[in-house]
Amino acid sequence: MLVMFDMDGTLIDTQSLICEHMATAFRGADLPAPTPEEVRRIIGLSLPVAIERLAGSQDDSLINRLVEDYKEHYRASLVGGSDREGLFPGARTSLDALRAEPDYVLGIATGKGLAGVSRILELHSLGDHFTTLQTPDHNPSKPHPGMLLRAMDETGAATSETVMVGDTVFDIELGRAAGVATIGVTWGYHDPADLVAAGADAMIDHFSDLAPVIRRLMD
C-alpha cells in the first residue's frame, strides 16, 4: 500500500515562515503584501503558480523575481533557525509506525521544491521513511495528478492501493484526479469544511487516527 503525504501544513508547520517571506518578497517589489489568509489559500501549489495567483499577474519577469526573492529570504531565515520547520504533534510517531508496516510504502507529494524536501527530511532524520519524493521539480503543480501517477509508477502501487493525505483542497483534488483515496487533516491551512466539499473520503483530527482510517479505506 502506498501512503502519500503532503508536507507543508500536513507534516510540518511552516505557515509563519511562508507568510513572512511572501510578504517580504512582495514588499521588495513595491507590491502590497498578501495577508496571511491569502497566503494560506495558495499553500500547496508550486511556488510560481502560488505567486502568480497572489500577484494577480502573468508577467513572467515579475513572477520570476518574486520567486527568487522568496527563496532567498526563506533560505536566509533558516540559518540558525531550523526549529521553524517543526513536525506537527504526533507526526513522527505515526510515520515511524507506518514505516514499520511491511506492506506500507510512504511517499511525499508537495508543492515544495526537492531541495527543500530533502533538507527537511534530513533535519528530522526522516530520509529513510519515504520511498518516493514527488515535487514540482519534475511534475506539474497540484492539483494535476502527475505527482501521484509518477509515484504509483515508481512503486508499482495500483490506484486501489494508494491514499493521499493532505491539508488543502489541492491535495484532495490531486487525489481525486489520480483516482485514489483521500484523507484530509484538520490541523492544516485550509478550512476542513472545504476539504470535505472537495470530496475527501475521510477527515482526521489527530495523527493517531491516521492508521485506522487508512485500513478502513483500503479494506
Side-chain angles (χ1 to χ4, degrees):
M1 181 179 304
L2 175 60
V3 184
M4 296 294 294
F5 290 90
D6 170 57
M7 186 163 271
D8 296 290
T10 300
L11 294 179
I12 59 167
D13 188 3
T14 49
Q15 177 176 254
S16 63
L17 271 176
I18 294 171
C19 291
E20 173 186 332
H21 300 310
M22 201 67 79
T24 301
F26 272 67
R27 291 193 190 102
D30 294 324
L31 295 173
T35 67
E37 177 58 31
E38 289 171 333
V39 174
R40 280 195 295 271
R41 287 200 293 267
I42 55 80
I43 292 176
L45 297 171
S46 65
L47 187 56
V49 173
I51 285 180
E52 181 179 304
R53 289 196 182 186
L54 285 175
S57 171
Q58 295 183 328
D59 181 336
D60 288 342
S61 62
L62 172 63
I63 302 305
N64 290 337
R65 172 187 173 182
L66 290 169
V67 166
E68 292 308 312
D69 285 353
Y70 172 87
K71 289 180 177 179
E72 180 180 347
H73 292 305
Y74 197 109
R75 286 191 295 264
S77 74
L78 297 178
V79 177
S82 60
D83 58 330
R84 299 190 70 189
E85 294 178 302
L87 292 168
F88 279 103
R92 181 61 190 238
T93 299
S94 182
L95 291 172
D96 286 347
L98 290 173
R99 182 195 181 200
E101 293 282 347
D103 296 331
Y104 281 46
V105 174
L106 308 185
I108 295 288
T110 177
K112 188 180 291 296
L114 184 58
V117 172
S118 299
R119 184 192 69 250
I120 289 169
L121 294 182
E122 180 179 0
L123 171 67
H124 295 290
S125 300
L126 288 170
D128 292 340
H129 285 59
F130 298 98
T131 300
T132 179
L133 304 177
Q134 302 302 325
T135 73
D137 297 76
H138 49 273
N139 292 289
S141 176
K142 299 175 185 178
H144 188 282
M147 291 188 190
L148 290 183
L149 297 178
R150 184 184 287 259
M152 289 186 283
D153 184 61
E154 287 182 359
T155 61
T159 54
S160 60
E161 302 168 326
T162 303
V163 61
M164 178 68 204
V165 183
D167 71 300
T168 71
V169 168
F170 311 125
D171 298 315
I172 304 305
E173 292 174 341
L174 165 66
R176 289 178 61 83
V180 308
T182 55
I183 299 174
V185 306
T186 60
W187 57 80
Y189 303 152
H190 283 192
D191 189 321
D194 291 337
L195 275 64
V196 172
D201 293 300
M203 297 291 297
I204 59 172
D205 296 318
H206 308 282
F207 263 110
S208 59
D209 299 328
L210 181 57
V213 170
I214 292 173
R215 287 193 290 268
R216 174 172 62 81
L217 289 178
M218 296 293 101
D219 282 346

